[in-house]
Amino acid sequence: MPELVKRYFQLLWQQRGMASLGLLLATITALSGIALLAVSGWFISATAVAGLSLVAAHGFNYFAPGAVVRGLSISRTFGRYGERLATHEATFRVISHLRSEMFATLARHNWQEQPLNSHEASSRLLDDIRHAESLYLSALVPGLVMLLSSLLYLATVALFLPPLALWLILPLLFSVIAVPLLYLRRVLQPQNTLHQQRNLQWRDAHSLFSNLRTLILFDRLSHQSDTLSDSASIADTTEQQTSDARQRVNILNQLVQAAMLLLVLWQGLLGLAAGQLEGTLVFMLLLLTLGLQEVITTGSSALAAFALGYKALQRIGQLSPAKQQVDQRLFTDANEKQTQIIIQGLEYRYPSRQEATISGLSATLDTDNWYWLTSPSGYGKTTLMQLLAGQLQPQQGVIRYAGLQPDQIGMMPQQVSLLQGSLRFNLCLHHDFSDAELWEALHTVELDSWAEQLPEQLDTWLGKGSHLPSGGELKRLGLARLILLDRPVLLLDEPTAGIDTERSQRILQRLQQRWTNRIVIISSHDIQLMAADDQLLTL
Amino acid sequence: MSQISISTLQQCSDGQQLLRLAGKISRRENRWLTGLGVLQTAATIAITALFALLINNAVYSQASPAPWQQSAWLALAALLILRALLPLWQTRLADKASINVRNQLRAVVLEHCADLQLNLEQHFSSAELSNLLSSEIDSTRDYFAEFLPQQRLAMLTPLLIMLACLWSGWLVPLLLALSAPLVPLFMIIVGHKAAEASRRNLTELTRLGNLLSDRIKGISALQLANRCDEEQQSLFKQSEKFRHSTMQVLRLAFLSGTLLEFFSAISIAMVAVYLGLLYLDKYQIGMWQDTLTLSHGIFLLMLAPEFYLPLRRLGALYHARADASSVADHLLKLLQLQPISATEAKQTPAENIDQISLQQLQTGYGDTAIGKPLSCNLKRGQITLLTGPSGVGKSTLLDTLAGLHPAISGQVEVNQTAINIFNNRHWQQRIGYMTQQPELLFDSIRHNLCLGREFSDEQLYDALKQARAAQLVDALPEQLDYCVSDSGGFLSGGQAQRIALARVFLHQPDLLLLDEPTANLDQENAQAFMAGLQQFAANGGIVLISSHRDAQTQFDQVINLSADQSAEISHA
């Protein structure tokens, strides 16, 4: 069983109070519904027969059945309401937990080697995860209620007319076991295909709308629109096939149930003629069957719903990386006198590449001066940064941090990501910093005047559509984050791209003053920004 | 098949009206569906009547079966089979109808998007539009396939049942008729509240979705700050908020369902008690005959729940209507955006472009001007640098020169002849434009380069070499057939940009517009790239580059844009 399905049931077990309440109420509701019909049927048949003779009519106690009928109709109504609330509550709680736990799983992994498809991941965690609710809501609850009701039904029939019960075993087994299995076989396949096709459709739509300029200029807008319409049509056809398959199974079920009704009537009338059954009970048995059939109809998709939820959880589970990454960096005693990074025989090769990006690199880095990586693109500047930050693991060699801990390494990546939220949130990222600290950091990277002209300063919401920082501003925001984190090892990947030379020089000078006694490694295309005593680190 | 036109849809005042109009496309299918629904009810009534007759006969006259009974059994079996088979036709028709409507809606929206062109960007993000044209329009299936036909049946079926009940007496149909208006009344009250809650819920869902996709995109920032656990907590909180608001909606939505359930249950109870007391001669009211047989009782009791069945089905489809109407609101917002009015006859630019002159060209979005009017000349064989602080309108100027935005005032002359370049196909065929954010399709590198036109591998590699991208493509797992994915796969921002640049070279333009082409290149590559550009210019091309970087000697002309004064132009 996939890890995530296990986890789902663990979480459901944690919500067992609410979950079993839902199941109990669902059972009560189903049984009251069936009983309401049956008792009413018996009541009018009995009164009709009693009404034939004056004496019998006079002596008929109609209060008790009347009260039972009223009671059942009330318990059915309120049972239904309670059942729905309880089952939904239980399942949504499970999903909330599952969603945030899954995010945590993603966050524990480094995605530098095999980039995470962010659209796929977020749509799995937002929409796909809701299919998981069907495991309990549309599979366990209706399935169990169906089985229980069927057993009780059979027992009741056997009590009144044993031969009928024998007749009914076969069609009932068919409805309760064969139909759900058939449903599973027929519906699941097209349903999965549909899911994939809808994903392709989204991809085509996204291709269209994120390439508007290119498509207009190359006169391909209508071509791409047609591609989208086609993929939508393909998915629509599958959708139609799915609902057709579902309906075919339903029809088979309906036919079996029609046969059951005829059986009940036929055997009932025979029993009546043979004196085995009272006249008042024929109609009751018929209504009992009708009531059960309503329950079976909702239950017949239970297995398919189970499989659907199972598959969804499987898909979501596939997001989490197959192999665990083990941090191979070594961290030695905090008591060492000098903090150092010692690199020995480092080699790294990307999984898709033939040649190693970094091979046989050895170096000792200390706090005496800054180290510059200036080799051209493709020589592994970013790769080295990511190896140092523990985002990639080398195939060979060792990185040893002397006198340092893993959480003492700060890195500014080449692509600084802006998160939706206020400027304050983007600077703090869940850490606590005072306003004074924030302004000071902004001042260091010369973002203070930009921040001051924002409508709500630190509390201005940044993001697409409102206040989107330019490339250079974003880089400086990334630097400000790093200044605030205040760590003894600093890795800066292309910190000055998109910032003009004079400003870059001013900012780097301030950082030189601030970051004394730290290990600083910086990768850049601009050699002219190097200070006199900085050192080159060649790859 | 009826057609909808965009102009009629634009006049809709709200999403509901748009849905009604769109629903008319499948008028014919809906009529058939109504017919089949009525047939199904008629079959149910007949089946009930046959059950009643057969049981009645057996209970009262326990004699040998009458001759009509055999045909009654046959009719019963036939009707039961018919009733079981009908849903297959209904589903097929309903699916056909719904697919029809959604296809047309998609077509109308896409057509409108083609008219709006870049105007779209101002109002919708690409993710928003992608969702609208995939999951959102798809989600209206249940509305068009099930809700619309059921809406009419919810009126007709109860009416038919009431008429059938009149066969026995008048009190039961009267009871049903009296309770019927209560149902929609309560549902309107509940529905009003529910719609409000549903809107709040949708907001929470959007928030959760945005938060999730944003935090997953920015996961590395959180990892670097060691703050993933805190983010997990805040995601959990938002997820719980969504759960609360969903439960609020469901409490109300289930209430209307429960109400129907209540009426359905109570009607069975009422009919049973009423009939029982009638049989026991406690009173004589509401029936046509004095002595009542069991068959009437069976008939009425079995039909009573059928009266509420279509309403219960409609209630279960409540969410379909709520979802569809929020999608429709979204669609309407898009459809009511006005495209920039179509321009008159498009002139073809001269065969050989020697000079492009900008005459007091003012760029901007809509009526909002960006930057100052600009006059300058771009000459054949020259490379011009466009520089200035961000936000001053460099990208807007390039968009305008690419004919993607109309100019607010001023004009463009080609070889001294004024030409309207906005949306001008002939013009756009002559230029190559590389945007700041490289635009790549989720498709193979080959398709991204060719964009559906024919080129040999040799031509492709020539263009790739020109863009300094040949090596990088060779290192990819499937070279030219490598598929670019949403997250870029193994392509970094700079690499994606070079692929986009190769595409520009491949299509051999006369005028090259390049927005920050060297921002992601290192010194060596940047120099080689500039050398390539000089080669291009020497072969008779015109180049306009925007850049943050300082002016260097290799440019023939530098235009320095500034926010509050007109541009400074210097020549080499």
Side-chain angles (χ1 to χ4, degrees), chain B residues 390-406:
Chain B
S390 52
V392 80
K394 295 194 293 290
S395 301
T396 318
L397 178 63
L398 293 179
D399 271 356
T400 311
L401 285 178
L404 296 170
H405 278 305

Side-chain angles (χ1 to χ4, degrees), chain B residues 282-347:
Chain B
K282 298 292 169 196
Y283 45 65
Q284 286 288 344
I285 189 166
M287 287 291 158
W288 306 129
Q289 293 140 318
D290 286 345
T291 50
L292 193 62
T293 57
L294 180 59
S295 59
H296 288 278
I298 293 174
F299 186 68
L300 290 176
L301 190 69
M302 280 178 81
L303 279 187
E306 296 288 334
F307 182 82
Y308 295 98
L309 194 62
L311 282 169
R312 277 166 67 191
R313 285 203 186 123
L314 196 68
L317 289 169
Y318 166 81
H319 70 95
R321 183 187 142 102
D323 288 354
S325 100
S326 69
V327 173
D329 285 339
H330 213 167
L331 278 176
L332 199 62
K333 196 178 135 204
L334 173 62
L335 290 175
Q336 284 178 341
L337 283 182
Q338 285 304 320
I340 305 158
S341 54
T343 36
E344 43 321 335
K346 303 284 166 61
Q347 308 103 306

